Amino acid sequence: MLHATQHADLPSGELDSALRGGPFHVALRAAIAARGLPLQRVQHHLSRHGVKVGVTSLSYWQQGARRPQRPESLRAVRALEEILQLPDESLIRLLAESEPHPASGRRAARSYRSLVEASAVVDRLRAELGRPADSGLHTLGHHECVRIGARRELAAREAHHIVRAHRDGVDGFLAVHRGDPGCAPRDMRVRALENCRTGRVRFDHDSGVLVAELLFGTRLRAGDTFLFRYAVEDGTARAAREYLRGFDVPGGQYALQVRFDAAALPVRCHRFTQHSPAAPRGGRQELPVTAPHHCVHVVEPRIRPGVVGIAWDWQR
């Protein structure tokens, strides 16, 4: 029987080579084979770690047909390192190193490595606050307004959520904000605007991630709907070039508006989508910056798992 507290010595032979050189799916397949575990047993051990992953997904992962990408999948990869008695970060590192590279001459988006790291940071900060991974809320509507300042920085964003509880006892929401490279989460401010108040706040300087409790002041019952608004004042990084939002599960409407200061207008803007953080970007559509409001927006009638964002170019 495998125990969570056991760790094997550094692997040797084929497994050692796979862990050093990758790719991820080859290392995972070698680790499972080295332990002599059928996928059903691997799934059982994952469930004991509180992570639900299907046998089909595990099979796809070790074949290279799919990659773990969602937060729940990344939690599974970390659990697999423990279950298969592998060195810490060995599989996560291979996932990050095998990220697709942008085409030559094109600006790189936030790397898959950084998204993996940010997801792990959010999990850690959530655990520190004692908040479950399942918020107990389903999104009916999510509207964001991002304000770009005169220094081209992400000055602030405001979020308006319409949610429905799918279990009893939900009393709040964990807001997550990730600043641009070089930001200072310590200097950011979270403001509760409507039907909530700010609770505990935690941040991680290296990843630029800030999480904040938004407390409703009431406990929702399953089926109850609730509306709340909050804002994050940022303005701590250099020039922003895009804003994106990732979704793990389907939901209701999502609207994103980016408003530019009149003293810092971009030369062009476009919307984009991604099926996952590691997938190539698609759905490109040019967005004219309208006067006199100097803003652009996108509306997704139904949220689907993946990424929606707006990117822009500055005059050099």
Side-chain angles (χ1 to χ4, degrees):
M1 176 181 291
L2 291 174
H3 297 280
T5 55
Q6 291 181 337
H7 291 278
D9 294 332
L10 286 177
S12 58
E14 180 182 349
L15 178 55
D16 183 40
S17 175
L19 288 175
R20 282 189 283 106
F24 167 80
H25 70 278
V26 172
L28 177 61
R29 186 168 63 241
I32 292 174
R35 303 298 171 235
L37 290 173
L39 293 184
Q40 288 81 359
R41 292 299 298 167
V42 175
Q43 182 192 39
H44 173 71
H45 285 297
L46 284 171
S47 67
R48 293 181 62 184
H49 281 69
V51 182
K52 294 182 179 180
V53 177
V55 171
T56 301
S57 293
L58 291 171
S59 177
Y60 283 155
W61 292 356
Q62 69 171 0
Q63 293 172 30
R66 292 182 185 172
R67 294 163 54 91
Q69 294 163 353
R70 300 178 184 177
E72 179 74 5
S73 298
L74 299 178
R75 284 192 290 273
V77 173
R78 293 188 179 278
L80 284 170
E81 292 173 348
E82 196 168 321
I83 292 166
L84 300 174
Q85 300 176 307
L86 303 176
D88 291 344
E89 302 291 317
S90 54
L91 293 179
I92 286 291
R93 176 183 60 80
L94 290 175
L95 263 182
E97 289 179 351
S98 61
E99 65 189 64
H101 295 282
S104 176
R106 296 183 64 183
R107 179 181 65 210
R110 286 177 173 172
S111 69
Y112 186 71
R113 177 193 297 274
S114 69
L115 291 173
V116 168
E117 292 174 347
S119 176
V121 168
V122 171
D123 287 344
R124 174 173 59 81
L125 297 178
R126 180 191 289 115
E128 288 181 9
L129 294 172
R131 287 281 173 180
D134 177 10
S135 68
L137 298 170
H138 177 73
T139 298
L140 301 178
H142 181 188
H143 301 166
E144 287 191 287
C145 181
V146 173
R147 181 165 57 85
I148 304 300
R151 296 184 294 105
R152 301 180 175 180
E153 81 285 7
L154 196 167
R157 74 174 179 88
E158 181 177 318
H160 182 188
H161 290 262
I162 308 170
V163 296
R164 175 184 287 123
H166 60 76
R167 58 176 168 82
D168 293 338
V170 178
D171 65 350
F173 176 82
L174 193 67
V176 178
H177 178 80
R178 186 181 179 210
D180 287 312
C183 69
R186 182 189 302 274
D187 298 328
M188 298 177 188
R189 181 188 175 198
V190 180
R191 293 192 297 119
L193 300 178
E194 188 173 5
N195 298 335
C196 61
R197 64 179 177 85
T198 305
R200 296 170 294 175
V201 177
R202 298 289 187 272
F203 61 84
D204 180 82
H205 177 77
D206 292 340
S207 63
V209 169
L210 175 147
V211 300
E213 286 182 314
L214 297 173
L215 304 175
F216 299 158
T218 185
R219 290 186 179 273
L220 305 181
R221 296 174 298 177
D224 286 351
T225 56
F226 199 76
L227 289 76
F228 62 97
R229 288 192 306 126
Y230 71 93
V232 179
E233 296 177 355
D234 190 334
T236 63
R238 297 181 180 178
R241 296 182 178 275
E242 63 181 25
Y243 183 84
L244 56 86
R245 172 64 61 180
F247 300 96
D248 300 323
V249 295
Q253 183 189 79
Y254 174 67
L256 169 62
Q257 176 177 274
V258 178
R259 184 183 301 277
F260 298 92
D261 189 282
L265 298 179
V267 293
R268 66 184 63 84
C269 291
H270 70 270
R271 59 159 290 166
F272 63 88
T273 57
Q274 289 177 270
H275 296 305
S276 70
R281 289 184 173 182
R284 182 185 174 108
Q285 179 184 350
E286 297 299 318
L287 300 173
V289 180
T290 59
H293 306 297
H294 308 308
C295 62
V296 293
H297 75 273
V298 297
V299 177
E300 293 289 329
R302 295 287 298 173
I303 294 171
R304 293 176 293 180
V307 170
V308 178
I310 296 176
W312 53 90
D313 295 313
W314 298 112
Q315 184 79 43
R316 293 189 176 183

